[in-house]
Amino acid sequence: MHTTPKGDLTTPSKRGFLQDLIGLTIAATTLPVAAATAAPVPHLGMGAQPPRRPGIAGKRYAMVVDLRKCIGCQACTVSCSMENLPPIGQFRTTVLQYEVDRGPTELPAMLSLPRLCNHCDEPPCVPVCPVQATFQREDGIVLVDSDRCVGCGYCVQACPYDARFINHETQTADKCTFCEHRLDVGLLPACVESCVGGARVIGDINDPDSSASQMLKEHSADIKVLKPGMATAPHVFYIGLPDEFVDGIDGQASVRPVGGL
């Protein structure tokens, strides 16, 4: 009678056990991959904007900044940091101080210029995102899905307003959101609420009676945006913006930054 030596792994029971064990190991190894690829990102053409995601129906938010009222106190910067808690040394909004050279016969003029995401109608940051972590809502607000973002920095490079950064703590893209979590419940963004001079106004420009619409109408001749030639249709509008700043603040000899965060 033939007997199988002890320790021989060719017996049916042991062979079946090993096969089952290998199968379980392979299944356990492949499950995370299957979960990660369960939601494929649709292919977009060059520069194509994906469909906007739901926001507050019927609204289109915009901010109007009256530079005649901005005193450069940085209350907006502080309140934004307290509300949104970016890492120390990184900011979603800032107020930069500039000295404008007006020629040899006049004293330089000082300008406080609030900077933030412009929540453009044609945001260049959205189509460059390889995983569609950056997206735009129907009410115009541009946001970042930090759970999807891979921190590649493409959107940071694409933004012509230097409004984005890679968060040092999360390693994902970060920026101003118009405090959409506050707008969604009827509150003002932290920067607007804290502005001591009332220089920042936000509103629905689809509503002709909103404060933002009224300001745009009243000061239509004086309204300017940053870098209009980029064709991004920015929705942060400035009153009292000198011409030197319209097409960019970098590389212009007549505009010299003298401080800021």
Side-chain angles (χ1 to χ4, degrees):
M1 180 178 64
H2 176 72
T3 59
T4 302
K6 293 182 180 181
D8 189 341
L9 300 182
T10 62
T11 61
S13 59
K14 291 183 178 180
R15 184 187 302 114
F17 172 76
L18 286 177
Q19 289 174 343
D20 292 342
L21 182 62
I22 293 171
L24 288 172
T25 304
I26 293 173
T29 304
T30 57
L31 277 175
V33 177
T37 59
V41 177
H43 174 71
L44 296 174
M46 183 67 69
Q49 296 283 351
R52 295 188 181 185
R53 301 187 192 179
I56 302 179
K59 294 184 181 291
R60 202 324 175 184
Y61 284 107
M63 186 176 290
V64 183
V65 181
D66 191 341
L67 297 181
R68 302 169 304 176
K69 297 180 179 180
C70 180
I71 60 174
C73 67
Q74 303 291 351
C76 54
T77 304
V78 174
S79 63
C80 174
S81 293
M82 293 180 66
E83 178 71 26
N84 298 293
L85 300 177
I88 293 175
Q90 294 186 301
F91 305 94
R92 291 185 172 188
T93 186
T94 60
V95 181
L96 300 182
Q97 307 294 327
Y98 293 92
E99 182 183 73
V100 182
D101 187 355
R102 299 191 297 180
T105 60
E106 297 186 54
L107 293 176
M110 299 302 298
L111 178 76
S112 297
L113 181 63
R115 301 291 300 277
L116 67 158
C117 173
N118 280 245
H119 297 276
C120 310
D121 246 1
E122 296 292 334
C125 56
V126 173
V128 300
C129 180
V131 294
Q132 290 188 26
T134 289
F135 64 94
Q136 188 167 32
R137 304 196 323 184
E138 292 174 353
D139 52 19
I141 297 176
V142 179
L143 300 175
V144 178
D145 183 345
S146 58
D147 291 332
R148 183 181 284 270
C149 179
V150 296
C152 65
Y154 289 168
C155 62
V156 176
Q157 297 299 318
C159 176
Y161 305 106
D162 300 319
R164 286 174 167 260
F165 57 91
I166 297 299
N167 186 301
H168 290 163
E169 295 177 353
T170 64
Q171 293 302 307
T172 58
D174 204 336
K175 67 174 199 67
C176 158
T177 64
F178 271 176
C179 280
E180 98 291 348
H181 61 287
R182 293 174 63 89
L183 290 174
D184 287 347
V185 295
L187 300 175
L188 293 173
C191 64
V192 175
E193 190 173 74
S194 65
C195 182
V196 297
R200 296 189 184 213
V201 173
I202 195 168
D204 172 22
I205 59 174
N206 286 343
D207 177 7
D209 296 325
S210 71
S211 54
S213 293
Q214 290 294 320
M215 288 186 70
L216 290 174
K217 181 179 179 181
E218 180 182 353
H219 301 282
S220 59
D222 299 319
I223 295 292
K224 294 184 177 71
V225 296
L226 294 176
K227 301 185 179 180
M230 299 297 294
T232 62
H235 273 59
V236 172
F237 301 96
Y238 293 92
I239 299 173
L241 182 69
D243 290 338
E244 293 92 339
F245 292 83
V246 169
D247 292 318
I249 58 173
D250 298 322
Q252 296 186 27
S254 60
V255 182
R256 301 193 302 270
V258 295
L261 295 172

